[in-house]
Amino acid sequence: MEISVLLLILASVGYAFQARDERRRVALLAAYLGHYQIEKLMATLTDGYMRALGEPDLARQAQIWSMLSTTENALCEQFNRFVADFARVDGDNARVSKLPLSIFYTGKLFPTSTFDLRKALSIHAHGIAQAVANSQQRSPKDKAFTVLAEIFLMQHTCHWFCKSMSVASARLVMRHQTPYAKVLESVAPDTRQAYGALIAR
């Protein structure tokens, strides 16, 4: 058998395993997220923040900020419940590859090159809740930027789990025109420290 044919067969087999592993991870995360309106709340909050930031009338702007507090609290409540539910997932199924490109079943083949999604989600839940609580007394604008950064980082982690770090970073730029490094820079220091320690290679 020619080496080129053998390589083609191996590549096809590897792709099939990779695709099956990705489908498993996407289905697992979707099964838990499907019980909540987290994505809808995030979209509402993001649109509301953009509207408030672009509103020239200060009175109207203040009204929008006030209205968004209900959505912020609902997001925190639902995300905390989701994290509590997802914490029951088996550890082997919650591993995320630290490698730039995803390799099927990394958690089983290279466990030291992974991190636990359950722990990452817990960090995100704390970061989002703290940003919404605004104990640092940030201005509404600065608070909004911090909350958005915490949300974007959480989305990046979910996409990382489903696909790979490279794909997650590309999606972050495509969806929000924000690079991964900028998001990390914009989250709260506690989040950045905890998250950095978790994903350290």
Side-chain angles (χ1 to χ4, degrees), residues 1 10 18 28 42 47 73 84 108 138 149 153 181:
M1 182 182 292
L10 290 175
Q18 179 67 20
L28 175 64
M42 289 192 303
D47 291 344
N73 292 330
K108 292 182 172 60
R138 297 181 178 92
L153 184 60

Side-chain angles (χ1 to χ4, degrees), residues 130-185:
Q130 290 296 105
V132 166
N134 198 23
S135 60
Q136 300 297 318
Q137 296 298 305
R138 297 181 178 92
S139 68
K141 178 180 178 180
D142 288 343
K143 173 191 171 182
F145 279 128
T146 303
V147 173
L148 286 176
E150 297 282 353
I151 289 173
F152 291 169
L153 184 60
M154 180 271 291
Q155 286 181 315
H156 182 276
T157 299
C158 291
H159 291 151
W160 188 351
F161 172 72
C162 293
K163 292 288 185 178
S164 69
M165 182 180 184
S166 298
V167 171
S169 297
R171 285 182 175 177
L172 190 59
V173 173
M174 288 177 60
R175 291 187 177 190
H176 305 297
Q177 293 74 55
T178 308
Y180 176 55
K182 180 62 177 178
V183 171
L184 279 176
E185 179 186 317

Side-chain angles (χ1 to χ4, degrees), residues 37-175:
Q37 295 183 312
I38 292 171
E39 292 187 38
K40 181 180 178 180
L41 289 167
M42 289 192 303
T44 299
L45 205 55
T46 300
D47 291 344
Y49 283 158
M50 294 301 105
R51 192 167 72 253
L53 292 169
E55 175 58 58
D57 184 274
L58 295 181
R60 175 59 182 159
Q61 188 182 80
Q63 184 180 24
I64 297 173
W65 291 129
S66 178
M67 290 170 57
L68 289 172
S69 63
T70 301
T71 306
E72 291 172 342
N73 292 330
L75 174 62
C76 289
E77 189 271 335
Q78 290 213 16
F79 194 74
N80 281 330
R81 286 168 52 201
F82 158 67
V83 171
D85 281 348
F86 197 84
R88 295 195 290 268
V89 170
D90 180 72
D92 287 343
N93 292 325
R95 305 308 299 179
V96 185
S97 172
K98 296 180 184 179
L99 304 175
L101 297 175
S102 179
I103 299 176
F104 53 90
Y105 306 116
T106 306
K108 292 182 172 60
L109 299 173
F110 313 105
T112 58
S113 296
T114 64
F115 65 89
D116 191 333
L117 178 63
R118 299 169 302 178
K119 293 181 180 179
L121 293 175
S122 180
I123 291 171
H124 293 314
H126 179 76
I128 294 171
Q130 290 296 105
V132 166
N134 198 23
S135 60
Q136 300 297 318
Q137 296 298 305
R138 297 181 178 92
S139 68
K141 178 180 178 180
D142 288 343
K143 173 191 171 182
F145 279 128
T146 303
V147 173
L148 286 176
E150 297 282 353
I151 289 173
F152 291 169
L153 184 60
M154 180 271 291
Q155 286 181 315
H156 182 276
T157 299
C158 291
H159 291 151
W160 188 351
F161 172 72
C162 293
K163 292 288 185 178
S164 69
M165 182 180 184
S166 298
V167 171
S169 297
R171 285 182 175 177
L172 190 59
V173 173
M174 288 177 60
R175 291 187 177 190

Side-chain angles (χ1 to χ4, degrees), residues 1-14:
M1 182 182 292
E2 293 186 9
I3 188 68
S4 58
V5 175
L6 178 60
L7 290 176
L8 181 60
I9 293 174
L10 290 175
S12 298
V13 172

